Amino acid sequence: MKAIRIHETGGPEVMHLEEVEQPTPQAGEVLIQVAAAGINYADLSQRKGTYLTRTHVPTTLGFEVAGTVVALGPGVTAPEVGTRVAAIANGGYAEYTTAAASAVLPIPPGLDFRHAAAFPVQGITAYQLLHESGRLAQGESVLVHAAAGGVGTLAVQLAKFMGAGTVLGTASNASKLDLARRLGADVAINYTEENWAEQVQEVTDGKGADIILEMVGGRITEQSLRCLAPYGRLVVFGAASGERASFSSVQLMYKNQSVIGYWLTAWMQRPDRIAHAVSELMKYLATGKLEIVVGQTFPLTEAAAAHQAIAARHTTGKVVLLV
Ligand SMILES: NC(=O)c1ccc[n+]([C@@H]2O[C@H](COP(=O)([O-])OP(=O)(O)OC[C@H]3O[C@@H](n4cnc5c(N)ncnc54)[C@H](OP(=O)(O)O)[C@@H]3O)[C@@H](O)[C@H]2O)c1
């Protein structure tokens, strides 16, 4: 089968389309014929060797797929062969991959593969950032950074559905800000402008945002703390800039503020909480109101170009590889 592999960490040029052996599902696993592979920002970090865990090479990239179950490993009786599924699975940039049978999600009717591939990682993350980490209460204001991105487009909508008051979205250009507004952001702010944090203060009547979902790192984290409300929660879930933030822990005491880390991989050790997130997301999807924005698709063979587009901040919503 064909797969996008790396033999060393580095730039997009280390990604190669190769012929490799089709995987065999082990006990408890299913074999999925991949129709669409979701790209996550973490894939870029894995390729560069800067992810939270070490990149062991050679490896096939990709953490997320949608496709059809074509074989069952020993001891597996469900889902049946032929079921359309989405899954968090290692080695997703390939024609076939395996996943734990217990961890695959049947795709709801009406959702095609390219949209289903956009859903597991970013959907669960967006929901848990608000519910588990942010502990969103009715009427609270929420600021979503990179609101036109994969996690961001879902988080803006979910915040509204989950009862947030004012939802603010940031992005780096006008068309991304328009997208954030179209998805329900009450206020859209360009965070490349020097005074963006002051703009947040202004629209929240000087109070600041109750919850801030932060994934840029460095200066944006530091400025986010300046526009966080008393009792506010700053949820840190990425560092797209690659920069580290520096702030005073003592300063947090004045306003009873919290800084909270989020990593989906660690939450996977709590299947009950993941199941809760999935079931809530399925309900929102069933209403037809939750829009999964697939901004760009690329053929599997052009995975490197897809990575380049994401790194250059040229993408909106989810970026999907069609296999
Ligand atoms: N902790 C977890 O478990 C978890 C799970 C999923 C995602 N994440 C994190 O969430 C963030 C979003 O992930 P995603 O997959 O949905 O990606 P994405 O938001 O679709 O793409 C990244 C966006 O980040 C923004 N950005 C800001 N500063 C940037 C910089 N210096 N370089 C590149 N992009 C920059 C860009 O939007 P603008 O042009 O509008 O600035 C860009 O479009 C990433 O940091 C990712 O690592 C974490």
Side-chain angles (χ1 to χ4, degrees):
M1 69 164 189
K2 293 190 171 41
I4 298 290
R5 308 261 298 163
I6 59 168
H7 291 264
E8 58 183 323
T9 55
E13 69 283 354
V14 302
M15 299 162 71
H16 298 290
L17 184 73
E18 291 177 12
E19 197 64 40
V20 294
E21 212 169 295
Q22 185 176 306
T24 305
Q26 305 300 307
E29 291 183 340
V30 296
L31 180 67
I32 300 169
Q33 182 174 16
V34 180
I39 301 186
N40 290 287
Y41 208 83
D43 305 357
L44 279 68
S45 309
Q46 189 194 27
R47 188 205 71 222
K48 288 189 283 188
T50 58
Y51 192 50
L52 290 173
T53 52
R54 188 159 170 215
T55 304
H56 296 281
V57 291
T59 191
T60 301
L61 292 175
F63 288 122
E64 177 180 51
V65 298
T68 307
V69 174
V70 288
L72 307 180
V76 178
T77 53
E80 284 175 16
V81 168
T83 308
R84 298 163 73 245
V85 295
I88 295 175
N90 285 328
Y93 294 8
E95 290 178 312
Y96 294 88
T97 192
T98 53
S102 56
V104 301
L105 317 171
I107 299 175
L111 197 63
D112 62 20
F113 285 130
R114 72 172 69 186
H115 288 87
F119 177 70
V121 171
Q122 294 175 345
I124 295 170
T125 297
Y127 179 81
Q128 289 200 308
L129 288 172
L130 293 161
H131 179 73
E132 306 282 3
S133 307
R135 299 186 299 280
L136 172 62
Q138 293 294 306
E140 287 190 314
S141 57
V142 177
L143 169 60
V144 178
H145 282 314
V151 174
T153 49
L154 293 166
V156 164
Q157 297 176 77
L158 288 171
K160 276 287 172 197
F161 298 154
M162 291 161 75
T166 304
V167 173
L168 305 93
T170 63
S172 67
N173 65 44
S175 62
K176 290 187 176 189
L177 294 170
D178 283 344
L179 175 60
R181 279 189 209 97
R182 182 175 74 68
L183 294 171
D186 302 292
V187 180
I189 295 174
N190 188 327
Y191 61 177
T192 65
E193 289 172 8
E194 194 47 39
N195 71 341
W196 73 264
E198 283 75 33
Q199 295 180 49
V200 173
Q201 288 293 112
E202 259 170 50
V203 297
T204 54
D205 297 325
K207 183 182 163 207
D210 294 310
I211 297 172
I212 301 182
L213 306 185
E214 209 304 280
M215 39 50 71
V216 180
R219 203 163 142 65
I220 296 287
T221 311
E222 293 158 10
Q223 291 172 315
S224 296
L225 276 170
R226 295 218 306 267
C227 59
L228 185 66
Y231 307 97
R233 284 84 71 202
L234 177 77
V235 186
V236 174
F237 68 108
S241 67
E243 289 160 19
R244 297 285 173 266
S246 155
F247 57 88
S248 160
S249 50
V250 172
Q251 203 68 25
L252 299 172
M253 295 195 292
Y254 286 109
K255 294 182 182 171
N256 289 300
Q257 294 166 322
S258 312
V259 176
I260 300 158
Y262 174 88
W263 190 30
L264 174 59
T265 304
W267 273 104
M268 299 299 278
Q269 312 306 315
R270 292 285 308 273
D272 57 324
R273 302 316 302 158
I274 295 292
H276 170 76
V278 168
S279 103
E280 290 300 301
L281 285 163
M282 289 296 178
K283 283 187 214 160
Y284 289 120
L285 272 181
T287 66
K289 286 190 193 148
L290 180 62
E291 180 180 338
I292 299 175
V293 178
V294 176
Q296 282 88 359
T297 60
F298 292 79
L300 180 67
T301 48
E302 288 175 25
H307 275 214
Q308 276 163 340
I310 295 171
R313 301 164 83 157
H314 290 162
T315 65
T316 51
K318 183 73 173 183
V319 182
V320 171
L321 295 176
L322 300 178
V323 180

